[in-house]
Amino acid sequence: MASSVEAEAAASIQTSKASSSFREAVDAAGIFPRNGPDPSARSWGHHASGITFAAQHKLPKLPLPSLESSCKRYLEALKPLQSTQEQETSAAAVRNFVCEEGPILQAQLRDRGIELERIVSPSALAAIKIVWLLAYHAISCVFQDHPSPSRNDQITRATSLVRSALAFSQAIREDRLPLDEIRGVPQCMNQYWWLFGVARVPCEDGGRLRLDPEARHIVVLCRGQIYRLYVLDESSNRIIDEHDLSLSLQYIVNNAHDIPIQDTSKTAVGLLTTENQKVWSRCRSVLVHEGLKNGRNFGIVDSSLFVLCLDDNSPQTKSEVCKNMICGTNIVENGVQVGTFTNRWYDKLALIVCRNGAAGMNFEHTCTDGSVDIHMACEIYKGSISQPEHVTSSNKVQSSSSTVNLQHDPPSAGAIPAGLQKLDWDIPSEIYTALHLAETRLVDRIQQHQLETLDISDYGKDLIKSMGFSPDAFFQMALHAAYYRVYECVRSGFEPVLMRHYLHGRTDVARTTTPEAAAFARIFSDEKASTAKKIEAMHRAADAHVAISKDCAKGLSHHRHLYVLHQMWKRRRAFLEATALEPAGVDGRISYNQKQLPTTTIFTDPGWARLGTTILMGSNVDNPCLGYAGFGPPAADGFT
């Protein structure tokens, strides 16, 4: 295992040293390589005048908790969800784990961390980032309307958002994006490299991340049809002129509407990105083997900077707008699916603009977290309504001489603007069937969920703070109280905690269902309890939540640590079972390898599944650029 990771890492590093050959290989083969070069692995001192990554070498490394401390915290988090008998059973399973398999896995994890440090490779880091591939779910946000009503039509809005996104990506590439800091503490900026030119590519074992640091094009989707549009000049990387971009987007809309509506969903290959990774991987393999054209198309999509979805709808209510951004719409007319969920490619970052100018984003969440995604979205919005501060003089949009001019005159009827190409697919009959099944399954999942928006203007964080509560803790306790009042039970809660003050830090998890939170939820619904007792219980619950969040930020949470050990445990179990020795001597004797597999361990105990089934999940997004932001529930009966 280690040797294959090292070989992959060496190949990736070699690729990053020869970016020109990397680009040539993509153009020649049409199929994006398994692991692109990783700019984040370069020497941080390479750009002496750069500011984005100036503090990377100063960041501390994420600590590895001890096995015993993580197991102790696990049992504490589980306690409010169990009876006394169940607690004893889980404690016994933990003791077995700590005495038997646990130390083996912990030692392997520690050794793996040392090896990853030595290799410094994205493909090696992906071995631990696999937890994100397995736990993938999309995040979405809704932009505020453009302050000028005249710029809220689809083409104008899309043009300004695309150009602002390009300027933001240029700031990252050129090491000009200001360093993120929280209360004066610098944050790891590595995730910003993985925003643009990145794709999640399906594989039988979960998926791979692919990055093209030299991408110059975007992919535009309209009515399920896919187009490549070059937006950066090849020699200077200057951004496409606003006029030319508008013409190209208008051409795409007109061309997509020329296709009969009954035929659009038949070639909406993006529908397959909604399937589970194994199904999507097999369908992709079938398409690649069907013809060279398909392989080249995948290479174009994978290596694009991002996806722009021009939706053929005009959502009116806030709930309709939010639903369109997170999962698209399901609308059938005359037996034909015309909903916007056919106009997505969920394996990439996507800007979404509706016909009435309503706009937002959908984030592929594997390699970035909410803090980075939301910061990017807000900067894109601000840049779209004014001159972006992160645009250098060479990319300012005020004059065409500073931009790439692809087509200054309106194209004649039927003429294709320069730099634009429609991607046509060779689709075999089995993929037509797969597209229909993907549509059916997605419709079923959408109908199983309900999305509503709630705006509270009576009070806000200032009032909450004046009462001595953390706004975040206040909100989390409100979730528990509301759930208990409806279902008369407490369930597992989850809140991500930012860990970017560590090198390559992502998030960890604060389990919000503490004993104090459970006690507050019960007393809040007790009609006999006094208001004073309810307030006192909420203070205790809020204080406990703040304490557990602070511990988590220090690297003391059990969640990610045990989750990675769980993935290693499953692989180790599969290996030992596959290589089990035949029984020797008397028939029925237990084999040697089978003796090494305890029947009861922390991961087979029912408590593991109970705590891991997150029912209540919430996170704070406080930014005036966004109307709403959110994600789907992690469990079928969950809430976010």
Side-chain angles (χ1 to χ4, degrees):
M1 182 71 178
S3 61
S4 64
V5 170
E6 186 170 354
E8 210 172 285
S12 179
I13 292 174
Q14 183 63 33
T15 305
S16 66
K17 291 179 179 178
S19 58
S20 59
S21 60
F22 165 77
R23 181 72 265 156
E24 291 168 3
V26 174
D27 291 338
I31 302 175
F32 214 58
R34 182 177 179 185
N35 287 295
D38 178 17
S40 65
R42 62 171 168 76
S43 170
W44 296 113
H46 186 264
H47 295 294
S49 61
I51 60 174
T52 307
F53 304 101
Q56 289 294 113
H57 66 285
K58 303 176 184 177
L59 296 176
K61 296 169 185 174
L62 186 68
L64 177 62
S66 70
L67 181 64
E68 293 75 15
S69 66
S70 287
C71 287
K72 180 181 178 181
R73 292 177 185 276
Y74 163 76
L75 290 175
E76 291 172 351
L78 192 53
K79 187 178 296 184
L81 307 174
Q82 291 184 312
S83 66
T84 302
Q85 180 60 47
E86 289 171 331
Q87 291 172 23
E88 293 174 355
T89 301
S90 293
V94 167
R95 285 194 296 271
N96 288 342
F97 180 68
V98 171
C99 294
E100 295 175 349
E101 290 184 285
I104 298 173
L105 297 173
Q106 179 78 351
Q108 290 176 347
L109 180 58
R110 184 182 296 107
D111 293 343
R112 190 65 175 278
I114 295 172
E115 180 69 8
L116 294 183
E117 236 177 78
R118 185 179 68 81
I119 295 174
V120 194
S121 160
S123 51
L125 288 173
I128 284 190
K129 287 180 181 175
I130 194 70
V131 298
W132 295 98
L133 297 177
L134 297 171
Y136 159 78
H137 58 274
I139 298 176
S140 68
C141 71
V142 177
F143 292 126
Q144 298 283 8
D145 288 340
H146 196 288
S148 175
S150 64
R151 295 189 63 82
N152 272 321
D153 67 279
Q154 184 178 42
I155 299 301
T156 303
R157 190 90 198 269
T159 298
S160 61
L161 287 169
V162 166
R163 300 189 74 238
S164 182
L166 293 173
F168 188 80
S169 70
Q170 293 287 63
I172 297 171
R173 286 183 174 185
E174 297 172 11
D175 217 350
R176 293 184 285 102
L177 187 69
L179 174 66
D180 289 349
E181 292 185 345
I182 297 179
R183 300 183 185 92
V185 177
Q187 305 292 295
C188 180
M189 302 293 285
N190 181 65
Q191 292 182 46
Y192 284 97
W193 272 120
W194 298 89
L195 286 171
F196 299 97
V198 176
R200 170 185 164 137
V201 179
C203 298
E204 286 287 329
D205 60 351
R208 293 289 184 273
L209 300 178
R210 294 178 177 171
L211 167 67
D212 185 352
E214 301 172 4
R216 298 189 297 109
H217 67 281
I218 65 172
V219 163
V220 184
L221 274 73
C222 187
R223 300 183 95 189
Q225 308 307 296
I226 305 175
Y227 303 79
R228 172 172 65 179
L229 176 62
Y230 281 100
V231 289
L232 297 176
D233 180 73
E234 184 174 7
S235 59
S236 65
N237 272 338
R238 289 173 179 168
I239 297 173
I240 185 173
D241 178 76
E242 182 176 6
H243 175 71
D244 296 329
L245 179 56
S246 296
L247 288 178
S248 295
L249 297 184
Q250 187 63 63
Y251 178 91
I252 289 171
V253 171
N254 295 342
N255 181 264
H257 279 77
D258 287 341
I259 301 172
I261 190 64
Q262 64 270 19
D263 295 333
T264 56
S265 62
K266 295 179 181 179
T267 55
V269 179
L271 259 177
L272 298 174
T273 65
T274 67
E275 287 282 30
N276 71 62
Q277 292 296 288
K278 288 189 176 181
V279 172
W280 173 207
S281 176
R282 291 165 190 161
C283 290
R284 180 167 169 137
S285 295
V286 170
L287 283 166
V288 168
H289 286 94
E290 180 66 19
L292 182 61
K293 180 192 300 183
N294 294 339
R296 291 187 182 279
N297 287 348
F298 282 127
I300 290 170
V301 175
D302 291 347
S303 61
S304 63
L305 282 159
F306 56 87
V307 169
L308 170 65
C309 303
L310 298 175
D311 281 355
D312 194 27
N313 70 328
S314 298
Q316 299 300 313
T317 68
K318 295 175 181 178
S319 295
E320 288 176 351
V321 175
C322 290
K323 188 172 185 179
N324 190 72
M325 302 308 163
I326 195 168
C327 64
T329 60
N330 166 37
I331 301 174
V332 178
E333 294 180 357
N334 299 320
V336 178
Q337 178 61 248
V338 296
T340 60
F341 71 61
T342 63
N343 198 47
R344 297 288 184 271
W345 195 283
Y346 282 105
D347 289 337
K348 290 190 68 71
L349 170 68
L351 275 168
I352 303 170
V353 185
C354 301
R355 200 166 52 215
N356 63 351
M361 298 188 77
N362 191 286
F363 311 101
E364 202 291 306
H365 189 37
T366 303
C367 46
T368 58
D369 296 314
S371 65
V372 170
D373 294 332
I374 296 302
H375 177 228
M376 170 192 61
C378 294
E379 290 299 308
I380 289 175
Y381 173 78
K382 287 190 290 185
S384 72
I385 64 174
S386 62
Q387 178 64 48
E389 293 181 3
H390 47 259
V391 178
T392 61
S393 58
S394 63
N395 275 331
K396 285 184 179 179
V397 300
Q398 296 170 339
S399 66
S400 61
S401 61
S402 63
T403 57
V404 55
N405 303 311
L406 298 181
Q407 182 77 43
H408 281 296
D409 299 321
S412 58
I416 301 176
L420 179 64
Q421 174 194 0
K422 184 177 186 296
L423 305 186
D424 295 315
W425 302 82
D426 293 325
I427 300 181
S429 58
E430 61 184 299
I431 296 300
Y432 283 125
T433 302
L435 287 169
H436 175 70
L437 292 174
E439 176 188 328
T440 302
R441 279 191 278 263
L442 184 56
V443 168
D444 183 56
R445 292 204 298 274
I446 290 175
Q447 292 178 340
Q448 290 176 23
H449 292 79
Q450 181 179 0
L451 189 152
E452 298 293 340
T453 60
L454 176 64
D455 292 291
I456 300 175
S457 56
D458 295 337
Y459 65 92
K461 64 180 181 181
D462 291 337
L463 178 62
I464 294 171
K465 288 180 178 179
S466 71
M467 295 188 296
F469 292 105
S470 155
D472 173 67
F474 184 95
F475 171 73
Q476 296 295 335
M477 295 312 110
L479 288 180
H480 286 292
Y483 187 89
Y484 189 88
R485 176 160 288 188
V486 175
Y487 296 100
E488 296 185 340
C489 65
V490 293
R491 299 292 295 275
S492 181
F494 176 117
E495 182 182 22
V497 176
L498 194 64
M499 302 294 285
R500 285 178 54 213
H501 48 290
Y502 293 106
L503 182 64
H504 291 166
R506 300 276 311 253
T507 63
D508 212 316
V509 173
R511 284 295 175 184
T512 62
T513 312
T514 60
E516 294 84 358
F520 164 70
R522 294 186 180 96
I523 198 172
F524 186 81
S525 294
D526 185 354
E527 296 180 355
K528 297 180 181 180
S530 66
T531 300
K533 286 187 176 180
K534 292 180 180 181
I535 294 175
E536 181 184 356
M538 185 166 184
H539 272 292
R540 286 197 298 268
D543 290 344
H545 179 81
V546 170
I548 200 171
S549 297
K550 288 182 177 178
D551 283 348
C552 185
K554 296 175 184 176
L556 299 177
S557 173
H558 70 275
H559 181 87
R560 300 290 191 221
H561 180 205
L562 292 184
Y563 192 73
V564 172
L565 292 181
H566 182 217
Q567 303 306 311
M568 297 171 64
W569 174 83
K570 289 194 294 186
R571 294 182 181 185
R572 181 173 185 269
R573 280 292 177 108
F575 173 78
L576 292 177
E577 290 172 359
T579 59
L581 300 176
E582 292 293 332
V586 181
D587 290 343
R589 182 183 299 174
I590 298 176
S591 72
Y592 174 79
N593 274 342
Q594 288 170 333
K595 283 184 178 180
Q596 308 307 307
L597 304 180
T599 56
T600 302
T601 186
I602 183 174
F603 303 125
T604 58
D605 177 68
W608 177 260
R610 183 173 301 181
L611 184 63
T613 303
T614 299
I615 302 301
L616 298 175
M617 186 174 181
S619 187
N620 176 52
V621 177
D622 182 15
N623 196 291
C625 298
L626 305 180
Y628 301 92
F631 40 83
D637 55 346
F639 297 85
T640 56

